Amino acid sequence: MKAVRAMHLAADRRRCIGSGQCALLVPAVFEQQDSDGRVRIHADHVPDASSDDLHAAVQMCPVQALRLEA
Amino acid sequence: MTELFTDAPSYPMRRTHPLAPPPALDELRHHRPVCPVTLWNGQHAWLVTRNSDVRKVLGDPRVSADPHSPGYPSLSKGRSEAPDRAGSFNHLDPPQHDVFRNMLSGEFTVRAISRMSPLVQHIVDNVISSMLAGPRPVDLVTAFALPVPSQVICAILGVPYEDHAFFESRTATRMDLGASPATVRSANEEILSYLHELVARKTRHPQDDLLSRLAVRHVLSGSLTHEALVDMARLLLVNGYETTANMLSLSVLALLQAPEQMAELTRDPSAQAVKNAVEELLRHQTIVHIAPTRAVLSDIEVGGQTIKAGEGVITSLASANQDDDVFEDPQTLDISRDARWHLAFGHGIHHCLGHPLARLELQTALGTLLRRIPALRLAVPLSDVPFKHDGGLYGVHRLPVSW
């Protein structure tokens, strides 16, 4: 049976510039606050460590404001 | 520092094919990924060509985008002697940069831009209808690639589109690296004085547009000066259409030069296929072809090379987008590949604010064009198409097409 790895996804909202790259790539996980464009992680979201898109979004963030940790 | 720069090739390098970056960039990426180069004025700077190194430099807080920082590379005489003013926050560093960018971030979210989809579609439909009703062959730049983004940004900002010939000609001068400092300065001043009047009107009589909202929220409340809003308006207006216009005509041309890719997309112009094709076109035809430039504020190490405080760096987005460590067979246009790692919109705190809008416009314009005019073809040989070799942004001056 495949083990489900518990992942922690964190966003540094002070570092975030609201580019929206993550919201464009993985809208199921990330959204932007209307007022300042800064990232919010959907509260009911369970990070899926096997999602290529999620890893890509974390690595592509222009200001490295996202972290995915085991 | 001078000794280090003895073997420094001239920059920018020359293209040998108009739709491919200079082959010298491939050489450097493989053999000297952080290489000293010599600029038009004899100044030296470091040219960074690998995708990972470009990310590293642009994401580093120890580099400055301010042309006044010591060592900042100058790419043309006109630009260096007539630099932009304060509200042009693409040339500011934190914390000043962040103040300006924060005022706009909420206006350019993915969600806010997706609400503009009907507006963009409406503009694209009208522009294509006019083109279809006109004579053939037609210049795709003036009939399509320029009016679409120009009308969109005018609608968003609240700039009267009737004035487009005025600001389009001044913008073309600003983008011409061969233009004299006096010409660039007067083009700048004309745009600024036009926007000065416009912003003053918006402040007195706000309407439902972005410039009015900024005037009410920030100028009337005292958090932004009138002059700074004028500069910001210039940045948004000019960067809001000139970039997309160049990218749109180059995209059509690149597809016409790759008939099997064109046929594939014309057969299936679904939203998903067009979206993927646009990412690949952004990668393959990088309009920011000789920049961005930065000055180093304190020593950094890139690709095994130490770049010292006070030295300049040029990060080649065009080269990063052709890096075969990231993209297989990078010279080939392949609209079905995963092109997401391209750096066409830059990286770091100056990552293009308008990328969701640019993407929406490119997807809508290209998709609709292929659906409505599937028989589109180039009306002259490729050798007769005039390219913007001396442009700060790459593109074509004219693109005669027929169907």
Side-chain angles (χ1 to χ4, degrees), chain A residues 17 19-21 24-25 31-32 34-38 53 60-62 64, chain B residues 55 59 101-102 105-106 109-111 115 340-341 347-349 351 355 359:
Chain A
I17 53 163
S19 83
Q21 282 274 92
L24 201 62
L25 201 59
E31 67 170 351
Q32 290 174 278
D34 285 327
S35 58
D36 60 5
R38 293 214 165 103
D53 284 353
M60 271 178 208
C61 173
Q64 294 101 52
Chain B
R55 277 175 200 278
R101 180 151 181 151
N102 285 342
S105 303
T109 62
V110 172
R111 189 166 29 224
R115 279 189 221 112
R340 291 181 303 186
W341 294 93
H347 193 69
I349 60 164
H351 182 267
H355 78 91
R359 283 175 154 131

Side-chain angles (χ1 to χ4, degrees), chain B residues 51-326:
Chain B
N51 188 292
S52 57
D53 290 341
V54 168
R55 277 175 200 278
K56 198 172 162 190
V57 172
L58 294 178
D60 197 310
R62 293 167 296 178
V63 304
S64 166
D66 184 344
H68 301 97
S69 297
Y72 190 89
S74 161
L75 293 180
S76 82
K77 193 171 166 57
R79 285 229 183 151
S80 55
E81 291 184 17
D84 297 330
R85 298 188 311 181
S88 298
F89 58 94
N90 57 335
H91 288 304
L92 288 182
D93 295 329
Q96 297 94 324
H97 158 272
D98 306 352
V99 174
F100 290 106
R101 180 151 181 151
N102 285 342
M103 290 178 183
L104 291 167
S105 303
E107 298 278 352
F108 287 89
T109 62
V110 172
R111 189 166 29 224
I113 296 302
S114 69
R115 279 189 221 112
M116 295 176 194
S117 182
L119 167 77
V120 174
Q121 185 67 60
H122 177 72
I123 288 172
V124 167
D125 287 342
N126 284 345
V127 169
I128 294 182
S129 294
S130 305
M131 190 166 82
L132 282 169
R136 281 175 282 174
V138 63
D139 173 19
L140 193 79
V141 175
T142 47
F144 180 68
L146 208 44
V148 167
S150 190
Q151 288 182 32
V152 170
I153 199 68
C154 280
I156 292 173
L157 295 180
V159 172
Y161 183 66
E162 306 88 84
D163 299 333
H164 72 104
F166 165 78
F167 60 76
E168 283 166 8
S169 74
R170 272 60 172 185
T171 300
T173 302
R174 277 175 49 84
M175 291 292 166
D176 182 359
L177 296 186
S180 74
T183 323
V184 173
R185 200 175 301 121
S186 82
N188 264 340
E189 280 165 9
E190 285 170 340
I191 294 185
L192 288 172
S193 91
Y194 169 79
L195 290 171
H196 163 78
E197 295 294 325
L198 184 70
V199 167
R201 280 206 303 279
K202 303 272 179 203
T203 311
R204 279 195 306 270
H205 308 290
Q207 292 163 308
D208 182 19
D209 56 52
L210 178 51
L211 292 183
S212 297
R213 282 196 292 281
L214 291 171
V216 171
R217 250 181 242 154
H218 302 296
V219 177
L220 293 180
S221 71
S223 55
L224 188 68
T225 64
H226 167 79
E227 288 71 26
L229 179 54
V230 171
D231 291 346
M232 231 158 130
R234 187 199 56 75
L235 180 69
L236 292 170
L237 175 64
V238 171
N239 290 20
Y241 77 89
E242 179 72 10
T243 45
T244 310
N246 282 306
M247 191 58 220
L248 196 47
S249 40
L250 273 182
S251 297
V252 173
L253 180 56
L255 282 170
L256 290 173
Q257 292 302 114
E260 70 298 338
Q261 299 286 305
M262 180 72 165
E264 194 182 320
L265 199 57
T266 311
R267 230 180 0 255
D268 168 29
S270 65
Q272 191 50 47
V274 171
K275 194 171 158 187
N276 208 70
V278 163
E279 296 304 311
E280 169 65 348
L281 287 159
L282 285 162
R283 180 195 74 81
H284 195 258
Q285 295 298 320
T286 308
I287 56 159
V288 181
H289 64 147
I290 55 172
T293 43
R294 296 287 187 265
V296 173
L297 299 174
S298 61
D299 297 8
I300 59 171
E301 192 170 311
V302 189
Q305 176 70 51
T306 301
I307 304 182
K308 297 203 180 77
E311 294 182 343
V313 193
I314 300 162
T315 52
S316 174
L317 302 184
S319 170
N321 287 345
Q322 296 277 323
D323 190 337
D324 49 19
D325 279 349
V326 182

